[in-house]
Amino acid sequence: MPTIKDVAKYASVSVATVSRVLNKKGYVSKEAEENVLKAISDLNYKPNSVARSLYHKTSKMIGLLIPDISNPFFPELARAVEDVALTYGYTVVICNTDEDIRKEAQYLEALQQKYIDGLILTTNQLSTENYENLGIPLVALDRQFSNRVPTVSSKNYEGARKATEYLIENGSEFIAHIRGPYHVKPADDRYRGFKDVVEEQGIAHIVVDCDFTMTNAMEVAEGLFEKYPTVDAVFASSDIAAAGVLKVAKSINKQIPEDLQIIGFDGIPLGEMLTPAITTVAQPIYKMGALSARLLIKQIEKQLLDVRNYEVETTIQYRETTRSDT
Amino acid sequence: MPTIKDVAKYASVSVATVSRVLNKKGYVSKEAEENVLKAISDLNYKPNSVARSLYHKTSKMIGLLIPDISNPFFPELARAVEDVALTYGYTVVICNTDEDIRKEAQYLEALQQKYIDGLILTTNQLSTENYENLGIPLVALDRQFSNRVPTVSSKNYEGARKATEYLIENGSEFIAHIRGPYHVKPADDRYRGFKDVVEEQGIAHIVVDCDFTMTNAMEVAEGLFEKYPTVDAVFASSDIAAAGVLKVAKSINKQIPEDLQIIGFDGIPLGEMLTPAITTVAQPIYKMGALSARLLIKQIEKQLLDVRNYEVETTIQYRETTRSDT
DNA sequence: CCCTTACCTGTAACCCGTTACACAAACTAT
DNA sequence: ATAGTTTGTGTAACGGGTTACAGGTAAGGG
């Protein structure tokens, strides 16, 4: 691999001149520039980004901290982040934290040592200071964070309200909510949205807990249908959970959506692949990822952010696990 | 961020001594070592990996080139690679190539400039020389590559044979194969496995082409069932395709598995989530990813590889889209 | 004709570690 | 006592860029 010195020698100029040509900075005569350009192409020279990083203390890399890329919510997000990053010349380092405080700390240290330029966080077991002390731009995606950190999330509360109202409009009278983990902001908001609507309208309801796995959702659903056979609608806090409910409901021969309506949340591709396809409160996942990446890169490049907190709209994807009210 | 100089000053030694302590190399007196260790902890010093990279021409990073992380086959693979990488102190850079030659080239250049230590390839539109000229360790996953590059794949031919034989044992007499893209080794091997069995046993069959998307699979399946309504089994080259077939088959009221058996390939989680759950030839996806990562890191760390080509076993996951033969 | 300014270029310091090399002290062997 | 090891430490060069600064030339203004 040729270095800038080789190029300088070949073009009979100093390394400073080569650097000026590369970075289009400072005065360079036309002649010198041509020589340098020719040298670069003759030698197939590529500037070494590590050396650049060392001087500039930046790396053209961003970190994406997610709980687990195997969770179907995240691949699309990761894809969006990566697409945007690529167009701006950044590469993305992916970090599966499993919501484990030690793994997070380990990544943070490794990334900091690599002069990572910024972080997109969909996970934060560590206290926020740990992140802010890094002194690099951050974006919180789908999570609550300190108000110094720009956030991107969808209107979880509102989406949950819409979902619940829709179930009620379609005639359901005893609605179960399968909620997500506590202290996870989106899960809490969805729960509040549900609760507010059922209480306002005086609808019978029940809330059960569930983590993000389908196995757990199925267990929970089994218990639910056994204890409350008259439940006639389920609003699940995620599509994975909804899929679990659907599977269980079908196994005990409930007619969907006649006996039981199901509505999920997230809008992951899985929902469409199932039969019946799951009605869901879809978040624009790709858009959220892309937006986060753009917000992060804007900060990295010292541009001012006009808005610091984005709440994107959710839309109900009307599919086959709910009755139409029209 | 403190540097090695700060540590040296604080401990009243030279930077060389600090470096010796850090790397446990060369002679250091007990006293000096203690002072350095104290300085490191007092100042919370972390060695800068960029500076290290510059000197050593390595980065403790590996690249994972995949077509698209949104394709459900890859998240689990990525997860495995990342898990293994982490335990060996490597970080992974993820690159979605979309099988696009220009994106691949762009990534290759960026990664090379970052002194990436090695690459796991599940995609190669570029000619193999482009990769080999990088002069860094490679592992080809689920792809054919030059014989200088270690490969990891599953027994696609054998798996396809098993699947086809299983359908026949269960009484199917007119079997369709939905094959994957041409010139993609696994798809070709699966096709050969299918063809050999149906020809050996003289079973009526039909082969149709399909890419990796579910939408395409559904179109293909519609055409198939219209033209050949007597098809009584489908062997799909991927679970995604199988899911598409299943959805179409259900929509035209075929009884599964009585009227139509379906068997997929891959063993992605989706298969289990569907109702009926899809019988599939499962590849040990996580294992393949982990194995690739270990092979790569072994090479990076200059250890000799005893075996260079791994073919892992597939196993049929007997689920609900096939009839049992017992 | 002198001074200012724009233009052009090279030297060397710097980013932050690593390590070759030189030097010194302490110890071993002869 | 002398040569040869082992141990311990510091200086400086190096990896591959970037840039402050100094120095030089040419053009324009008064």
Side-chain angles (χ1 to χ4, degrees):
Chain A
M1 290 258 283
T3 72
I4 197 170
K5 276 185 199 156
D6 301 323
V7 175
K9 197 172 289 172
Y10 189 96
S12 315
V13 296
S14 73
V15 293
T17 302
V18 178
S19 182
R20 285 186 197 107
V21 172
L22 285 171
N23 300 299
K24 299 182 177 46
K25 252 186 207 168
Y27 298 113
V28 180
S29 67
K30 196 162 275 179
E31 199 197 332
E33 186 180 352
E34 277 167 13
N35 287 338
V36 170
L37 259 18
K38 181 165 187 327
I40 288 174
S41 104
D42 283 4
L43 301 175
N44 189 28
Y45 166 75
K46 305 269 185 288
N48 178 314
S49 21
V50 175
R52 279 190 163 158
S53 277
L54 183 58
Y55 187 88
H56 282 125
K57 298 180 193 295
T58 64
S59 59
K60 284 275 173 183
M61 296 194 301
I62 61 179
L64 175 61
L65 270 70
I66 54 179
D68 180 7
I69 190 75
S70 321
N71 176 325
F73 182 73
F74 294 107
E76 198 177 336
L77 207 67
R79 180 63 214 248
V81 169
E82 218 263 328
D83 283 354
V84 172
L86 185 65
T87 68
Y88 288 92
Y90 289 79
T91 43
V92 0
V93 173
I94 207 151
C95 307
N96 293 295
T97 67
D98 290 322
E99 310 269 10
D100 173 346
I101 196 162
R102 292 170 55 210
K103 286 184 89 177
E104 280 187 31
Q106 189 179 353
Y107 277 120
L108 251 40
E109 190 175 318
L111 296 177
Q112 187 180 27
Q113 291 176 33
K114 286 183 161 48
Y115 284 143
I116 199 97
D117 290 346
L119 255 31
I120 294 179
L121 305 168
T122 61
T123 170
N124 60 313
Q125 295 304 111
L126 253 32
S127 65
T128 57
E129 301 136 42
N130 286 288
Y131 295 95
E132 300 195 59
N133 287 344
L134 257 33
I136 55 172
L138 304 172
V139 169
L141 210 181
D142 204 30
R143 289 284 165 128
Q144 177 83 319
F145 220 90
S146 119
N147 55 5
R148 258 156 290 146
V149 175
T151 56
V152 173
S153 57
S154 61
K155 298 188 176 170
N156 289 298
Y157 176 80
E158 212 179 292
R161 286 195 65 108
K162 281 195 285 191
T164 313
E165 282 162 2
Y166 185 63
L167 293 174
I168 296 170
E169 281 165 27
N170 289 350
S172 284
E173 294 174 336
F174 183 13
I175 309 181
H177 174 48
I178 313 245
R179 61 155 295 154
Y182 290 84
H183 308 304
V184 172
K185 183 81 174 352
D188 288 341
D189 289 349
R190 291 170 198 175
Y191 165 67
R192 281 195 305 111
F194 169 78
K195 209 187 55 168
D196 287 357
V197 170
V198 288
E199 287 181 355
E200 283 162 18
Q201 304 207 16
I203 300 286
H205 59 276
I206 168 85
V207 176
V208 290
D209 300 348
C210 181
D211 65 17
F212 286 128
T213 65
M214 179 150 161
T215 1
N216 186 225
M218 289 178 66
E219 288 162 17
V220 164
E222 273 165 28
L224 178 75
F225 293 134
E226 198 165 307
K227 247 192 185 162
Y228 306 96
T230 56
V231 159
D232 59 2
V234 173
F235 166 44
S237 199
S238 70
D239 286 340
I240 295 282
V245 172
L246 175 63
K247 204 161 169 62
V248 170
K250 285 171 80 172
S251 76
I252 56 173
N253 293 317
K254 285 199 186 271
Q255 292 300 312
I256 315 275
E258 293 78 10
D259 299 346
L260 180 79
Q261 296 192 90
I262 301 173
I263 187 162
F265 210 111
D266 283 348
I268 60 178
L270 168 70
E272 256 190 301
M273 298 183 179
L274 301 178
T275 313
I278 295 175
T279 297
T280 190
V281 181
Q283 310 185 69
I285 303 181
Y286 188 93
K287 209 168 142 190
M288 290 166 74
L291 177 58
S292 306
R294 268 192 296 270
L295 281 180
L296 185 68
I297 291 170
K298 262 199 173 179
Q299 291 183 78
I300 292 170
E301 299 183 346
K302 309 282 182 208
Q303 294 172 35
L304 284 175
L305 267 41
D306 28 332
V307 185
R308 296 180 58 82
N309 290 298
Y310 288 85
E311 282 214 313
V312 299
E313 296 290 336
T314 56
T315 47
I316 298 190
Q317 293 288 325
Y318 300 97
R319 296 202 279 237
E320 300 158 13
T321 56
T322 47
R323 304 188 283 269
S324 169
D325 57 333
T326 53
Chain B
M1 291 257 287
T3 72
I4 199 169
K5 275 185 200 158
D6 302 321
V7 175
K9 199 172 290 172
Y10 189 95
S12 316
V13 296
S14 72
V15 292
T17 302
V18 178
S19 180
R20 284 183 198 111
V21 172
L22 284 170
N23 301 298
K24 299 184 175 50
K25 252 187 206 168
Y27 297 111
V28 180
S29 67
K30 196 162 274 175
E31 201 197 328
E33 185 180 353
E34 277 167 14
N35 288 336
V36 170
L37 258 20
K38 183 166 185 326
I40 289 174
S41 104
D42 284 3
L43 301 176
N44 191 26
Y45 167 75
K46 304 269 188 289
N48 178 313
S49 22
V50 175
R52 276 189 166 157
S53 277
L54 182 59
Y55 188 89
H56 283 126
K57 298 179 192 294
T58 64
S59 60
K60 283 275 173 183
M61 295 194 299
I62 61 179
L64 175 61
L65 270 71
I66 54 180
D68 180 6
I69 190 75
S70 320
N71 176 327
F73 181 74
F74 294 106
E76 196 178 337
L77 207 66
R79 178 65 213 245
V81 169
E82 218 262 328
D83 283 353
V84 171
L86 185 66
T87 68
Y88 287 93
Y90 289 78
T91 44
V92 359
V93 173
I94 207 150
C95 308
N96 294 294
T97 66
D98 290 323
E99 309 268 10
D100 173 346
I101 196 162
R102 292 172 54 212
K103 288 185 85 176
E104 279 188 32
Q106 189 180 354
Y107 277 121
L108 250 40
E109 191 176 319
L111 294 177
Q112 188 179 28
Q113 290 176 32
K114 287 185 162 41
Y115 284 143
I116 200 97
D117 290 345
L119 255 33
I120 294 178
L121 306 167
T122 62
T123 169
N124 60 311
Q125 296 304 111
L126 252 34
S127 65
T128 57
E129 300 138 41
N130 285 289
Y131 294 95
E132 300 195 59
N133 287 345
L134 257 31
I136 55 172
L138 303 172
V139 169
L141 212 182
D142 205 30
R143 290 283 164 131
Q144 177 84 317
F145 219 92
S146 117
N147 55 5
R148 258 157 290 145
V149 176
T151 56
V152 173
S153 57
S154 61
K155 297 187 176 171
N156 289 298
Y157 175 79
E158 213 180 292
R161 287 193 65 108
K162 281 194 286 190
T164 314
E165 281 163 2
Y166 184 63
L167 293 173
I168 297 170
E169 282 166 26
N170 288 351
S172 286
E173 293 175 336
F174 182 13
I175 308 180
H177 175 47
I178 313 245
R179 61 156 295 154
Y182 289 84
H183 306 304
V184 172
K185 184 83 176 349
D188 288 341
D189 288 349
R190 292 171 198 175
Y191 165 69
R192 282 197 302 112
F194 169 79
K195 209 188 55 169
D196 286 359
V197 170
V198 287
E199 286 180 356
E200 284 163 19
Q201 303 205 17
I203 301 286
H205 59 277
I206 167 87
V207 176
V208 289
D209 299 348
C210 180
D211 65 19
F212 285 126
T213 66
M214 181 153 159
T215 1
N216 185 224
M218 288 177 67
E219 288 162 20
V220 164
E222 273 164 27
L224 178 76
F225 292 135
E226 197 165 309
K227 243 190 185 162
Y228 305 95
T230 55
V231 159
D232 60 0
V234 174
F235 166 44
S237 199
S238 70
D239 285 341
I240 296 284
V245 171
L246 175 63
K247 204 160 167 64
V248 169
K250 284 171 81 172
S251 75
I252 55 174
N253 293 317
K254 286 199 184 269
Q255 290 301 309
I256 315 277
E258 293 76 12
D259 298 347
L260 179 78
Q261 296 194 90
I262 301 173
I263 187 162
F265 210 112
D266 282 347
I268 62 177
L270 168 70
E272 256 189 303
M273 298 182 179
L274 300 176
T275 313
I278 296 175
T279 296
T280 189
V281 181
Q283 309 186 67
I285 303 180
Y286 188 94
K287 207 167 142 190
M288 290 165 75
L291 178 58
S292 305
R294 267 193 296 269
L295 282 180
L296 185 67
I297 291 171
K298 261 199 174 179
Q299 289 182 79
I300 292 171
E301 300 185 346
K302 310 283 183 207
Q303 293 172 36
L304 284 175
L305 268 40
D306 26 333
V307 186
R308 297 180 57 82
N309 290 297
Y310 287 84
E311 282 214 313
V312 299
E313 296 291 335
T314 57
T315 47
I316 298 189
Q317 292 288 324
Y318 301 97
R319 295 203 279 236
E320 300 157 12
T321 55
T322 47
R323 302 187 284 270
S324 168
D325 59 331
T326 53

